Every structure is written in structure tokens, then in C-alpha cells.
Amino acid sequence: MNLKCVVIDDEQHAIEVLTDHIAEMPGLTVFKTFTSPVQALTEISLKDEIDLLFMDIDMPGINGLELAKNIREKAKYLIFTTAHPDYALQAFDVQSDQYLLKPISFSKFAIGIDRILKKEANSTKVTPKEAEPAAALYIKGDHKYAFSNIAIDEILYIKALQNYIQIITKSETHTTYLTLKEIEKALENHAFIRVNKSNIVAKAAIKKVDGNIIRLVNNEMIQIGEGYKDTFFAYVQSSLLKSNRNQ
């Protein structure tokens, strides 16, 4: 956390007290200071992305309450720093987050700002996204309104059998009236590879490769077809861990 701070006070020594306190607080950084409320009014912009705005109330030209009405939206938090306790209710009207009475000791400053820091920390916590369901395929069953939902990351391999295919998963086998080309197209954005005319294999299901034989995690073995060797071994090489040491 690194929150940008701006201090507005017509008394330079009051600015110095606050900038010293800010420097002592982890997570705070002085961005700008102003002794002129008019200058602050004309120079502070939304682009500055100010986090904490420290402002005196009793100032010449424009008092802090009037200034706050014009620049409050340009800072995330507003902290009034004043010697006058009777402005507290008016400070509330301009959405003040803290009201610190002068003289401002470091302990008083730290306690007041710590509340803001905790609020900021809570507001910036990222809420974990709900886990997205695993990608799935629906395949037709044995009648018009029968369908099976197959999680793609459960598929080990797919085998073509004449006019239909078998989808072999970690727990069961599904048979459906599709061609291997059709299922290959459906899986083209997932980690599968065609290894011969009749088989598509999940890359994550490959346990071992020994010559032209692939052993899967379920210990079934599939042979790599001649026309598929180049593509398959190019994939293996692209995933191969290599040493930079001299052999």
C-alpha cells in the first residue's frame, strides 16, 4: 500500500508537522503541499488520484469547508486538521473521514490514520472468483432426449470405431455417433493430439513414450502412426526439459 497524501494549511509549520507524521507512517507518501487554498483549488485535479487530503479549516480567502465542497471528489479520504472543535458537524456535511484537533501529536495522528488504513486495506481485498466449472462436452445418448455431459479434463483418449467413436475417460467409456474429425474439431482449443488414424489422446494422459508406443496413465498402450510421428515428436520436443550444461 502506498497512499498519496496532499496537505493544505496556510501555516508552513503545521504542514511540516503533518509531513513529518506522514513520513513516519508506513504506506503513506507526501505528494503535494499547499499554503494557499486558492492554489490548491486550481491545481488539484482528478488525474492526481489523491488518496488522503489533509486540510486546515480556518484559512484566508477560502476556508477549508468551502474548499472541501469543491475538491472533495478529487480525493479518496478527507481529514480535517484544525484547532477549532466547533466545525465538526460541518465537517461531517462535506464527507470528512477524520477530524484531528491541533496540536496533532504523532500518536493522535497514527490512531486516526490507522482507521483509514484498515478501511482501505479491507476495501482493496480481492474477493476470490468462484471457480469456473470445468469445460465439458455434451454427447447424444441412445434416444432423442438423452445426453451425457463429459468433463473434458476427464478424457484420456478417443477411439474411432467405424461410424461412431468411443470417449474413454478416467472412470467410464461413452459411445456416440460422431466421426473422429468432428470430435477433433470440438477439442481443437484443448490439449489433445491426434496420434494415428483412429486415436486422439489427451496430452495430460500420456505417462510415457517408448519409441512408437504411448503408455497412458491407465496403462493402456497406443501406437503412433507413421503419418503422425513428426507432429507428435515436435510436441514432445517443445515440452522437453533440457539442460544447458555441457554434455
Side-chain angles (χ1 to χ4, degrees), residues 8-162:
I8 306 171
D9 198 305
D10 61 308
E11 297 179 341
Q12 183 60 39
H13 78 272
I15 289 178
E16 291 170 0
V17 168
L18 285 174
T19 54
D20 286 346
H21 291 347
I22 290 169
E24 290 293 317
M25 286 287 289
L28 301 186
T29 303
V30 176
F31 175 60
K32 287 181 181 178
T33 65
F34 298 92
T35 53
S36 165
V38 175
Q39 184 183 4
L41 176 65
T42 57
E43 292 189 13
I44 291 175
S45 73
L46 281 169
K47 292 180 181 178
D48 291 327
E49 296 183 339
I50 299 164
D51 295 298
L52 277 70
L53 178 58
F54 295 88
M55 191 187 303
D56 188 18
I57 291 181
D58 192 10
M59 294 186 291
I62 305 174
N63 70 37
L65 294 169
E66 288 299 318
L67 182 59
K69 290 176 184 177
N70 289 278
I71 65 171
R72 176 64 186 90
E73 65 178 7
K74 298 172 184 176
K76 193 177 288 186
Y77 300 101
L78 171 63
I79 302 98
F80 279 119
T81 58
T82 178
H84 303 284
D86 47 328
Y87 289 124
L89 187 59
Q90 291 165 280
F92 178 78
D93 290 339
V94 289
Q95 299 174 17
S96 169
D97 295 281
Q98 287 287 322
Y99 192 90
L100 301 178
L101 285 173
K102 296 177 181 178
I104 303 170
S105 66
F106 179 71
S107 61
K108 185 190 295 183
F109 176 88
I111 291 168
I113 300 308
D114 185 59
R115 295 187 189 122
I116 290 176
L117 293 177
K118 286 176 180 173
K119 181 179 178 182
E120 179 67 10
N122 289 333
S123 69
T124 55
K125 281 181 182 175
V126 177
T127 303
K129 291 182 178 178
E130 290 184 11
E132 293 184 4
L137 294 172
Y138 278 92
I139 60 170
K140 284 183 67 64
D142 54 6
H143 63 83
K144 184 176 180 180
Y145 296 107
F147 302 93
S148 294
N149 183 341
I150 303 172
I152 290 174
D153 61 5
E154 290 286 309
I155 299 172
L156 299 179
Y157 70 100
I158 300 153
K159 178 166 59 177
L161 296 169
Q162 297 179 341

Side-chain angles (χ1 to χ4, degrees), residues 84-243:
H84 303 284
D86 47 328
Y87 289 124
L89 187 59
Q90 291 165 280
F92 178 78
D93 290 339
V94 289
Q95 299 174 17
S96 169
D97 295 281
Q98 287 287 322
Y99 192 90
L100 301 178
L101 285 173
K102 296 177 181 178
I104 303 170
S105 66
F106 179 71
S107 61
K108 185 190 295 183
F109 176 88
I111 291 168
I113 300 308
D114 185 59
R115 295 187 189 122
I116 290 176
L117 293 177
K118 286 176 180 173
K119 181 179 178 182
E120 179 67 10
N122 289 333
S123 69
T124 55
K125 281 181 182 175
V126 177
T127 303
K129 291 182 178 178
E130 290 184 11
E132 293 184 4
L137 294 172
Y138 278 92
I139 60 170
K140 284 183 67 64
D142 54 6
H143 63 83
K144 184 176 180 180
Y145 296 107
F147 302 93
S148 294
N149 183 341
I150 303 172
I152 290 174
D153 61 5
E154 290 286 309
I155 299 172
L156 299 179
Y157 70 100
I158 300 153
K159 178 166 59 177
L161 296 169
Q162 297 179 341
N163 294 327
Y164 58 94
I165 61 170
Q166 284 186 331
I167 301 173
I168 294 86
T169 72
K170 296 173 184 177
S171 57
E172 55 189 333
T173 297
H174 301 267
T175 302
T176 189
Y177 189 77
L178 285 170
T179 66
L180 207 61
K181 274 192 174 181
E182 288 170 331
I183 193 71
E184 187 176 24
K185 176 69 175 175
L187 294 171
E188 64 182 355
N189 294 322
H190 299 276
F192 289 82
I193 188 165
R194 182 88 169 258
V195 297
N196 57 42
K197 289 182 179 180
S198 303
N199 293 102
I200 296 169
V201 172
K203 292 175 181 178
I206 299 171
K207 182 178 180 180
K208 187 177 180 180
V209 180
D210 188 359
N212 292 335
I213 302 298
I214 298 168
R215 183 183 293 274
L216 302 180
V217 292
N218 64 350
N219 287 320
E220 287 194 49
M221 290 183 287
I222 297 176
Q223 186 168 342
I224 303 166
E226 269 314 308
Y228 299 85
K229 284 182 180 178
D230 290 346
T231 300
F232 180 80
F233 285 108
Y235 153 67
V236 172
Q237 285 293 325
S238 71
S239 305
L240 186 65
L241 289 178
K242 300 174 183 178
S243 173

